[in-house]
Amino acid sequence: MGLLTLGSPLSWKDTKKFADHVRKHGTQQLINIYRRLKDRQGAVLKWGDEVEYMLVVMDADNKTARLSLKGNEVLEILERREKESPSDYPATWRPEYGGFIVEGSPVRPYGHLMEHLNMVEANMRLRREEILSVLDQERGETVITFTAFPRVGCPGSTDPEVECNPTVNTASHSLFFPDAAINHHPRFRTLTRNIRERRGEKVCINTPVLKDINTPKPFRDTFPNDDIEASWHAKDDHIYMDHMAFGMGCPCIQCTFQACDLGEALRLYDQLTPLCPIFLALTAAAPVYRGYLVDTECRFNIIAQSVDCRTREERGLEPLKNDRFVIPKSRYDSIDCYLTPEAEKYNDIDLVLDQDICQQLQDAGMDRSLARHFAHLFIRDPISLFSEKIHQNDEQETDHFESIQSTNWQPMRFKPPPPNSTIGWRVEFRPMEAQLTDFENAAYVVFIVLLTRVILSYNLNFLIPISKVDENMQEAQKRDAVRQGLFWFRKEVLPPRPYSEYNDGCFEQEEDKEYTKMTINEIINGQAGGFQGLVSLMNSYLETVDIDVDTRCSVQQYLMLIQKRASGELMTTARWIRAFVQNHPKYKSDSVVSEEIAYDLTKVADEITKGVRACPELFGTPRTRTKVSLSSVGQKKLRKESSDKADIDVLI
């Protein structure tokens, strides 16, 4: 969850006073990093994943499932275990926005060996077991990787139950979600308060309700005490929400890759960008919000609305007077530009940017495309600032840069090396929603990691106009997008053949004929006589690399899961949840997910997660050969290939 500085948070009024100071010094910090490390070469491939885990308590007697607010307590125990066993502990832990979420990653990054792919699922299992070991399971406490808790924001949805109204919720002024359920780290409550104060009103989230047979037409939400602001902002046939937690309280899975140099990192960022909507759709897992079935499947637009700090002027609702820009999107939203000069012709969205910062970065030697990216991020104000960190050493610290970089939440993040470290240039793949099981989460992580190797090895080109990526991001969130949606995608991703292979001379395709609309099935599994499909390319790559039998067995099952999800043979998590609700004997076909339905859904999801209930319609019957550590052969190979003992120790 970005920068986690400790200290005394400033009010929005005081933060605003230092906004230009933060931008000025954040820009200088970025320039210092760039000048110092732009030519850093030879970093080895390292990568890792982040999974956000939701803590839940189930009461079988009363048939209720509630969010457990033990996140801080659980995190404290897990972090202590990590410190006490630094050499053999499997995970590292971080706080997340919700007081009911903890974030876990492998304690050490994975490396370039194919065998590292076979360690992901085993490590995820260990993380889940670690969390379970500190919960009171006899009381019904458990950990589930739901993306959206079905009754978040409903009365009594937390354990312990806490008072919730605009008066006691001093940070958010929310009607539905209690500020007491925000993580105790000062960053999170500060973000909540400052986003609301900067915006000039509460955040406003509207997502369309699923119109079932008995859903009122029109559907009109009702609010405690006939709240005037809610009534004004709520739309007919939509579910209304008013707290950052409805978005930032949604667990997800993320992957971070260290590239060998700056150029490779930029290339990976650009090539993975068109894939973000595809994997948002494939991992769709959020069809229920605030106790209602909704007519979307993903968290993405809900998060965008939940952190939208733009003023009325910035949203174009009033003429610019006090603000500098009209800004088309929330600070959590889709990607606005590619980063490499080769991709610049596909940047067909007008980019709002700080021209002075852009020029300053170019004067420091940064390529125009990358300078424009950062100058675009820096149109935003910092929204969290600590009094102890106002004045910094720009040569040694990067908190001002990170305070803006880390609160621009996009499906991809380009990450410069941190100061005073050996870490290289990195990219983070961020669109994917959390899945119920470690097998599924590992499958998506491994798929993306393997795809990065194929991109670099085969020099693949997925670029399409960035406006088409935007369209795809919206298409991905529609109900049943995997089976029904059409997505812009490139017709040919392999590099063109040499001139001599053409009988009639070398030619370039017209730009508007480079891409067309395809189904997810066609993108993943290929078209007869057309695009070969991502899995075909990946299998071709696997035939060329040294891969042991166990890893190949696991990887093939991961690829098979995603192939069958893409074809519709297996359900996405969103489709499965929606079907569970609509087929529940107590469901009244009115879009309402009652406490009893939510309890039964949570109970079944928990049993599936723990492997005590089969769910072949969701992921088949997998039998991977995942392992906790490298084999002796893998360890020997790593020692032979690397002379850097620190790298060996980390990767083994």
Side-chain angles (χ1 to χ4, degrees):
M1 181 62 190
L3 183 68
L4 290 173
T5 300
L6 288 170
S8 306
L10 298 183
S11 67
W12 167 244
K13 182 179 178 181
D14 289 336
T15 301
K16 178 65 175 174
K17 292 177 184 176
F18 289 103
D20 288 337
H21 171 88
V22 171
R23 271 190 291 269
K24 175 184 175 181
H25 288 275
T27 302
Q28 188 58 53
Q29 290 169 2
L30 172 60
I31 288 171
N32 292 340
I33 295 170
Y34 184 79
R35 283 175 169 165
R36 190 163 55 241
L37 299 174
K38 62 184 173 66
D39 296 320
R40 175 178 279 180
Q41 299 279 337
V44 298
L45 169 66
K46 294 179 185 175
W47 55 275
D49 67 86
E50 301 169 19
V51 180
E52 294 163 5
Y53 299 88
M54 184 179 288
L55 307 180
V56 176
V57 58
M58 291 184 288
D59 183 340
D61 294 332
N62 295 302
K63 289 191 174 297
T64 61
R66 298 181 177 181
L67 293 168
S68 171
L69 303 185
K70 291 180 64 174
N72 292 283
E73 177 186 333
V74 168
L75 187 65
E76 184 178 336
I77 296 170
L78 295 174
E79 287 180 328
R80 184 167 63 246
R81 289 182 180 179
E82 182 184 349
K83 290 177 182 177
E84 290 172 352
S85 305
S87 61
D88 57 2
Y89 193 72
T92 187
W93 306 98
R94 296 291 180 269
E96 254 300 331
Y97 180 86
F100 47 90
I101 299 174
V102 293
E103 178 186 285
S105 299
V107 73
R108 296 174 183 84
Y110 304 113
H112 70 284
L113 296 182
M114 297 302 294
E115 199 175 333
H116 281 118
L117 299 174
N118 205 26
M119 295 168 60
V120 178
E121 184 182 350
N123 187 271
M124 288 181 177
R125 288 179 188 171
L126 290 175
R127 281 178 254 167
R128 195 182 296 269
E129 290 166 5
E130 274 294 291
I131 298 172
L132 281 169
S133 72
V134 301
L135 299 179
D136 187 346
Q137 296 184 64
E138 290 187 4
R139 184 175 172 268
E141 293 178 359
T142 191
V143 54
I144 301 179
T145 39
F146 272 142
T147 288
F149 187 68
R151 286 183 60 83
V152 63
C154 295
S157 62
T158 64
D159 181 74
E161 187 172 351
V162 289
E163 189 177 2
C164 180
N165 60 64
T167 302
V168 298
N169 291 334
T170 56
S172 68
H173 293 184
S174 175
L175 289 167
F176 308 112
F177 188 90
D179 286 353
I182 300 172
N183 187 285
H184 294 174
H185 192 288
R187 166 183 164 92
F188 301 115
R189 185 178 292 262
T190 301
L191 287 173
T192 306
R193 181 197 66 212
N194 287 359
I195 284 172
R196 175 182 57 79
E197 292 186 358
R198 189 188 188 285
R199 179 182 171 90
E201 59 190 17
K202 289 195 296 185
V203 295
C204 174
I205 307 162
N206 281 287
T207 194
V209 70
L210 177 70
K211 295 179 183 178
D212 214 334
I213 298 169
N214 297 323
T215 306
K217 298 176 179 60
F219 175 90
R220 289 193 173 122
D221 215 339
T222 56
F223 310 109
N225 303 317
D226 298 321
D227 188 89
I228 295 174
E229 184 178 0
S231 299
W232 177 261
H233 289 297
K235 298 178 180 179
D236 282 357
D237 297 321
H238 284 68
I239 307 303
Y240 169 76
M241 295 167 278
D242 64 350
H243 197 293
M244 186 173 168
F246 286 107
M248 287 299 187
C250 292
C252 64
I253 49 175
Q254 300 170 354
C255 314
T256 299
F257 311 96
Q258 175 180 268
C260 72
D261 56 28
L262 171 60
E264 184 176 279
L266 294 170
R267 174 164 168 70
L268 282 176
Y269 181 99
D270 282 359
Q271 295 303 325
L272 289 173
T273 289
L275 296 166
C276 288
I278 310 308
F279 282 87
L280 178 62
L282 279 166
T283 58
V288 183
Y289 275 92
R290 236 195 79 218
Y292 294 97
L293 284 171
V294 296
D295 203 25
T296 56
E297 296 207 332
C298 305
R299 75 203 190 285
F300 192 85
N301 281 352
I302 290 171
I303 306 181
Q305 295 173 81
S306 78
V307 296
D308 190 356
C309 68
R310 293 174 299 161
T311 66
R312 291 182 63 80
E313 292 180 19
E314 290 170 332
R315 283 177 276 153
L317 302 176
E318 296 177 1
L320 285 176
K321 181 180 177 182
N322 300 307
D323 295 304
R324 302 187 299 157
F325 309 104
V326 174
I327 304 175
K329 298 178 182 178
S330 168
R331 63 196 304 151
Y332 182 110
D333 219 306
S334 53
I335 297 161
D336 286 321
C337 64
Y338 295 112
L339 305 188
T340 58
E342 310 87 78
E344 194 161 356
K345 69 177 182 177
Y346 296 102
N347 286 335
D348 62 339
I349 293 176
D350 290 335
L351 200 62
V352 181
L353 52 83
D354 187 311
Q355 294 289 354
D356 292 338
I357 290 177
C358 186
Q359 189 60 53
Q360 190 178 351
L361 294 172
Q362 288 184 84
D363 290 345
M366 191 176 288
D367 281 344
R368 178 178 181 271
S369 298
L370 186 56
R372 285 170 59 83
H373 163 73
F374 284 118
H376 173 59
L377 300 188
F378 271 62
I379 64 174
R380 311 284 181 175
D381 284 336
I383 48 174
S384 177
L385 185 61
F386 294 85
S387 59
E388 296 86 349
K389 302 296 286 185
I390 293 172
H391 301 291
Q392 300 179 18
N393 180 342
D394 292 343
E395 291 288 343
Q396 299 295 324
E397 298 176 88
T398 58
D399 279 23
H400 285 327
F401 166 71
E402 289 293 347
S403 72
I404 295 177
Q405 155 98 340
S406 70
T407 55
N408 275 272
W409 298 282
Q410 296 176 346
M412 292 293 301
R413 181 173 284 161
F414 182 76
K415 304 174 78 168
N420 307 313
S421 81
T422 59
I423 294 172
W425 297 89
R426 296 153 296 154
V427 294
E428 186 176 20
F429 189 77
R430 303 166 49 84
M432 297 190 293
E433 308 212 317
Q435 309 294 289
L436 290 180
T437 66
D438 301 316
F439 167 72
E440 296 165 276
N441 287 325
Y444 283 106
V445 168
V446 169
F447 193 101
I448 293 298
V449 174
L450 189 56
L451 190 55
T452 64
R453 303 304 94 196
V454 180
I455 288 170
L456 296 175
S457 296
Y458 289 173
N459 195 26
L460 300 184
N461 180 8
F462 293 119
L463 297 178
I464 58 174
I466 203 74
S467 63
K468 301 301 184 188
V469 179
D470 254 8
E471 285 185 41
N472 286 351
M473 288 300 290
Q474 296 308 310
E475 185 76 5
Q477 299 173 72
K478 294 178 181 178
R479 178 157 49 98
D480 211 10
V482 165
R483 294 192 299 173
Q484 305 296 330
L486 289 172
F487 295 80
W488 293 105
F489 207 76
R490 198 172 179 94
K491 295 178 183 178
E492 180 55 74
V493 299
L494 288 165
R497 290 172 293 172
Y499 177 89
S500 60
E501 293 185 25
Y502 289 107
N503 294 325
D504 55 353
C506 188
F507 65 94
E508 291 186 4
Q509 280 187 308
E510 294 178 36
E511 188 175 314
D512 64 349
K513 294 182 179 178
E514 292 176 339
Y515 47 88
T516 189
K517 284 192 171 182
M518 300 185 195
T519 65
I520 295 274
N521 186 39
E522 290 169 335
I523 292 168
I524 297 297
N525 293 318
Q527 304 166 306
F531 178 63
Q532 59 267 71
L534 297 183
V535 171
S536 173
L537 292 166
M538 296 166 81
N539 279 326
S540 294
Y541 173 78
L542 288 170
E543 293 297 327
T544 69
V545 296
D546 183 12
I547 182 169
D548 63 281
V549 173
D550 287 346
T551 300
R552 185 64 187 260
C553 172
S554 297
V555 167
Q556 285 304 133
Q557 291 184 67
Y558 299 148
L559 298 185
M560 185 70 72
L561 169 72
I562 292 163
Q563 285 185 281
K564 290 185 175 181
R565 287 266 173 97
S567 71
E569 181 179 342
L570 294 178
M571 291 179 162
T572 63
T573 306
R575 183 177 152 208
W576 179 83
I577 290 173
R578 189 170 54 249
F580 183 96
V581 171
Q582 292 183 308
N583 291 320
H584 194 282
K586 295 295 180 69
Y587 179 63
K588 300 177 181 178
S589 300
D590 56 359
S591 308
V592 175
V593 182
S594 66
E595 270 202 311
E596 184 174 351
I597 295 172
Y599 168 78
D600 288 341
L601 171 63
T602 306
K603 183 174 184 292
V604 169
D606 187 47
E607 291 170 352
I608 291 170
T609 296
K610 291 174 177 173
V612 298
R613 178 190 287 259
C615 193
E617 67 273 27
L618 191 57
F619 48 76
T621 54
R623 294 287 188 276
T624 63
R625 299 180 183 178
T626 183
K627 297 179 179 180
V628 172
S629 58
L630 288 177
S631 66
S632 58
V633 173
Q635 293 186 31
K636 183 177 180 180
K637 185 183 299 183
L638 196 63
R639 289 191 176 95
K640 184 178 180 181
E641 292 178 1
S642 178
S643 59
D644 188 332
K645 184 178 185 302
D647 274 344
I648 295 171
D649 291 343
V650 163
L651 297 174
I652 290 180

